[in-house]
């Protein structure tokens, strides 16, 4: 039965790859004309109404929203190897092949398969950033190549073709390019400080084609260097220049604090990112964990309210897709952690529900991925979803911290490293409770305005 599934997936992938190559070749000749022409043609032949409506929305957005129009055209400026590997892996393998496989496993076994897995191959880093979320992990931890290779192979068997890496600094791990080359059917995204992408590394990234770095920034030079060290901003700009010149697909990771929210979401800064060649962004609200946790650095409820509207404006008006993990709960239908949409494997092998929840019950060296997804800790995360009917309050760390404390107590989750449980105890727990209550008071009126009282949240998985 397994061989039949493998053969079926191979056939689907082969056909899809041939079709995608033809599509790229066609659109590349003249995106302005050929992209809408292709969408019009596809819309006539798709069998289901919902798919026709989706294509219509894409077409209308492309034709009527200048920012999105410009962004889609930018995608076709990427190097051919990047389009044929990274984009193919993400759209075809991860979505076309992977998502039906997830559904099949859930229906036959009851196991929920996530969309991606976050792995820290090493805890080593060449920088020492203020307030680093991973700053208290042991600095000597590393995952063996054979172990990471096993994880990726098991992920593909489950239909997971999107692997995210962090650290530490993933470019320090010596097996990175070897892993990407061995698993050329997987899309790899790396959260990185961006300082180690020299010409030689940029050439290697282009050769494999299936790796996309997401570089961390705090804003302009002064803000970035204040957190990451003198000269880091200029080194990052140099790395972006190298990747843009080669047609590589890279993104940006922004840590939002109460001091830089307006800076990193300003039109001039977003335009700078686009001009530098960034293709996407991730918005991380500062969470008081890791090195010297400081709740005073968290965005205020009023700033978070601003971000609810501003991130949408950036996506639509500036043509820069950016995800906000804490305010996009309506898109994800709740928290994505705990194996629901992703989970975290630390460089020690500790399996954690989230990169920001440093508690664990098992080590990946002792369990398969399928077994990990059935652990009581992950089950508890998934069974409580969504943590709030207001999907602007989805995070069990900063929005509903009482739920996280209950999960840790009932599952026996233990700290992944010394001090990792400070957010579960006073005084930090008290500060998070107070902040959650303040956001509750701000977020509920926003949600009620968006959704009539009779609407309910209908998705629990």
């Amino acid at each position: 039965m397994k061989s039949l599934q493998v053969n079926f997936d191979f056939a689907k992938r082969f056909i899809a790859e041939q079709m995608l190559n033809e599509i790229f070749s066609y659109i590349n000749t003249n995106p302005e004309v050929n992209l809408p022409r292709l969408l019009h043609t596809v819309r006539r032949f798709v069998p289901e109404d919902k798919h026709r409506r989706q294509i219509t929305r894409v077409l209308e957005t492309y034709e009527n929203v200048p920012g999105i129009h410009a962004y889609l055209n930018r995608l076709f400026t990427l190097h051919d190897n990047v389009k044929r590997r990274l984009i193919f892996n993400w759209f075809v393998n991860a979505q076309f092949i992977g998502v039906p496989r997830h559904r099949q496993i859930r229906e036959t076994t009851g196991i929920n398969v996530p969309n991606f897995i976050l792995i820290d191959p090493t805890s080593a880093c060449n920088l020492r950033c203020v307030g680093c979320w991973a700053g208290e992990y042991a600095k000597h931890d590393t995952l063996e190549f054979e172990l990471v290779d096993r994880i990726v192979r098991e992920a593909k068997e489950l239909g997971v073709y999107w692997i995210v890496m962090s650290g530490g600094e993933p470019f320090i791990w010596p097996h990175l390019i070897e892993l990407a080359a061995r698993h050329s059917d997987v899309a790899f995204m790396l959260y990185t400080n961006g300082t180690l992408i020299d010409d030689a590394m940029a050439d290697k990234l282009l050769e494999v084609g299936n790796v996309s770095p997401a570089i961390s920034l705090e804003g302009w030079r002064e803000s970035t260097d204040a957190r990451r060290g003198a000269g880091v901003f200029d080194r990052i700009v140099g790395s972006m220049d190298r990747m843009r010149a080669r047609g590589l697909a890279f993104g940006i990771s922004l840590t939002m604090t109460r001091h830089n929210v307006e800076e990193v979401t300003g039109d001039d800064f977003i335009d700078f990112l686009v001009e530098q060649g960034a293709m996407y962004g991730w918005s991380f609200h500062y969470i008081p964990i890791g090195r010297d946790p400081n709740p005073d650095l968290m965005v205020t409820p009023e700033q978070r309210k601003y971000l609810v509207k501003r991130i949408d404006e950036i996506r639509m008006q500036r043509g820069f897709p950016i995800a906000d993990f804490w305010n996009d709960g309506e898109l994800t239908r709740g928290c994505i952690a705990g194996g629901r949409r992703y989970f975290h494997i630390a460089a020690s092998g500790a399996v954690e529900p989230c990169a920001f929840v440093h508690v664990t019950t098992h080590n990946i060296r002792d369990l398969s991925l399928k077994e990990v997804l059935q652990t009581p800790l992950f089950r508890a995360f998934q069974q409580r979803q969504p943590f709030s009917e207001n999907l602007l309050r989805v995070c069990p760390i900063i929005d509903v911290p009482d739920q996280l404390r209950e999960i840790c107590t009932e599952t026996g989750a233990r700290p992944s490293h010394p001090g990792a449980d400070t957010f579960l105890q006073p005084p930090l727990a008290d500060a998070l409770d107070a902040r959650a209550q303040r956001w509750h008071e701000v977020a509920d009126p926003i949600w009620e305005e968006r959704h009539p009282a009779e609407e309910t949240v209908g998705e629990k998985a």
Side-chain angles (χ1 to χ4, degrees):
M1 184 67 180
K2 183 178 179 180
S3 62
L4 286 176
Q5 180 66 48
V6 171
N7 290 336
F8 181 62
D9 287 350
F10 175 81
K12 288 171 65 178
R13 187 178 293 112
F14 177 80
I15 294 171
E17 184 164 15
Q18 299 309 307
M19 290 177 60
L20 200 62
N21 286 338
E22 291 296 325
I23 288 170
F24 281 150
S25 297
Y26 173 69
I27 297 177
N28 271 343
T29 59
N30 191 342
E32 291 280 351
V33 173
N34 291 341
L35 179 56
R37 182 180 293 169
L38 177 68
L39 291 173
H40 278 294
T41 301
V42 172
R43 183 175 57 180
R44 288 204 304 268
F45 291 100
V46 293
E48 296 189 25
D49 287 340
K50 67 176 182 178
H51 294 150
R52 282 193 291 272
R53 290 193 297 269
Q54 289 170 350
I55 294 171
T56 298
R57 283 196 295 270
V58 171
L59 185 59
E60 291 175 347
T61 301
Y62 179 79
E63 292 177 336
N64 299 313
V65 181
I68 301 300
H69 183 101
Y71 176 75
L72 291 176
N73 285 348
R74 284 175 58 215
L75 287 177
F76 292 95
T77 66
L78 295 173
H79 191 279
D80 282 349
N81 196 43
V82 174
K83 285 183 289 192
R84 286 181 165 81
R85 284 273 60 86
L86 185 67
I87 296 178
F88 176 85
N89 291 346
W90 199 88
F91 281 102
V92 176
N93 290 341
Q95 307 302 318
F96 183 60
I97 304 293
V99 172
R101 177 70 174 145
H102 303 171
R103 188 180 303 116
Q104 177 193 44
I105 292 173
R106 184 169 61 246
E107 291 173 352
T108 57
T109 68
I111 299 173
N112 183 77
V113 179
N115 299 91
F116 68 96
I117 299 170
L118 173 62
I119 305 172
D120 296 348
T122 179
S123 59
C125 187
N126 61 317
L127 300 182
R128 185 175 173 81
C129 302
V130 176
C132 174
W133 66 271
E136 292 304 308
Y137 285 120
K139 300 301 179 292
H140 59 271
D141 287 336
T142 188
L143 299 178
E144 305 86 356
F145 175 79
E146 293 76 17
L147 176 58
V148 180
D149 180 61
R150 188 208 93 193
I151 294 170
V152 177
R153 283 188 283 106
E154 290 182 0
K156 292 193 291 186
E157 290 175 4
L158 295 173
V160 178
Y161 290 89
W162 183 15
I163 299 295
V164 181
M165 289 187 168
S166 185
E169 169 52 51
F171 278 102
I172 287 180
W173 194 57
H175 311 292
L176 178 62
I177 299 301
E178 180 185 359
L179 183 77
R182 177 172 293 192
H183 298 281
S184 60
D185 52 348
V186 171
F188 291 91
M189 192 194 78
L190 315 179
Y191 288 118
T192 171
N193 61 47
T195 61
L196 300 179
I197 306 174
D198 56 15
D199 284 321
M201 179 55 68
D203 288 340
K204 292 177 182 177
L205 293 176
L206 186 60
E207 182 179 356
V208 292
N210 60 334
V211 178
S212 177
I215 301 176
S216 298
L217 280 170
E218 269 63 51
W220 296 109
R221 180 179 291 103
E222 181 179 355
S223 297
T224 296
D225 287 2
R227 186 182 187 204
R228 300 185 175 272
V232 168
F233 180 84
D234 289 337
R235 293 168 68 185
I236 289 172
V237 171
S239 295
M240 291 193 290
D241 289 342
R242 295 182 191 98
M243 291 190 288
R244 183 185 67 253
R246 289 165 172 79
L248 290 166
F250 69 92
I252 298 296
S253 171
L254 304 172
T255 299
M256 307 281 185
T257 73
R258 68 186 305 163
H259 301 303
N260 73 346
V261 168
E262 289 78 13
E263 179 177 346
V264 296
T265 58
D267 284 350
D268 56 346
F269 188 71
I270 298 300
D271 289 346
F272 162 76
L273 298 179
V274 172
E275 290 165 4
Q276 284 297 123
M279 288 292 176
Y280 59 87
W282 301 100
S283 164
F284 290 92
H285 300 195
Y286 171 79
I287 303 295
I289 60 162
R291 183 179 297 131
D292 302 322
N294 181 3
D296 289 336
L297 288 177
M298 297 174 67
V299 297
T300 67
E302 293 72 26
Q303 289 173 324
R304 188 168 170 184
K305 178 181 179 180
Y306 156 81
L307 287 171
V308 171
K309 179 180 179 182
R310 179 57 184 157
I311 294 298
D312 276 343
E313 291 174 347
I314 291 171
R315 289 188 278 229
M316 299 303 292
Q317 297 176 13
R318 313 310 295 185
F320 187 66
I322 181 169
D324 185 332
F325 284 108
W326 284 267
N327 283 348
D328 277 343
E330 191 167 3
L331 297 177
T332 59
R333 307 307 294 169
C335 172
I336 65 174
R340 179 175 175 267
R341 294 290 179 263
Y342 98 107
F343 67 92
H344 179 226
I345 300 173
S348 64
V351 178
E352 301 174 342
C354 175
F356 300 98
V357 179
H358 299 178
V359 299
T360 186
T361 58
H362 292 84
N363 193 290
I364 193 61
R365 292 184 172 88
D366 305 320
L367 298 179
S368 68
L369 287 185
K370 186 175 288 188
E371 290 170 329
V372 165
L373 295 171
Q374 300 177 78
T375 58
L377 179 58
F378 283 16
R379 292 284 195 187
F381 255 79
Q382 296 172 31
Q383 289 168 358
R384 290 169 181 260
Q385 290 280 5
F387 290 111
S388 169
E389 290 189 358
N390 180 344
L391 294 180
L392 293 172
R393 298 174 54 233
V394 299
C395 178
I397 313 173
I398 64 173
D399 295 338
V400 281
D402 57 311
Q403 299 245 12
L404 181 55
R405 292 193 285 268
E406 289 177 8
I407 288 174
C408 291
T409 298
E410 72 182 43
T411 62
R414 59 188 182 276
S416 304
H417 56 78
D421 56 348
T422 55
F423 65 94
L424 299 173
Q425 305 166 0
L428 186 52
D430 295 336
L432 292 175
D433 283 340
R435 181 58 60 92
Q437 180 57 36
R438 287 182 58 199
W439 176 238
H440 184 355
E441 295 165 359
V442 173
D444 277 7
I446 301 174
W447 185 258
E448 291 165 4
E449 182 179 344
R450 287 183 171 188
H451 301 275
E454 63 271 14
E455 289 189 12
T456 58
V457 176
E459 200 254 356
K460 296 289 287 185

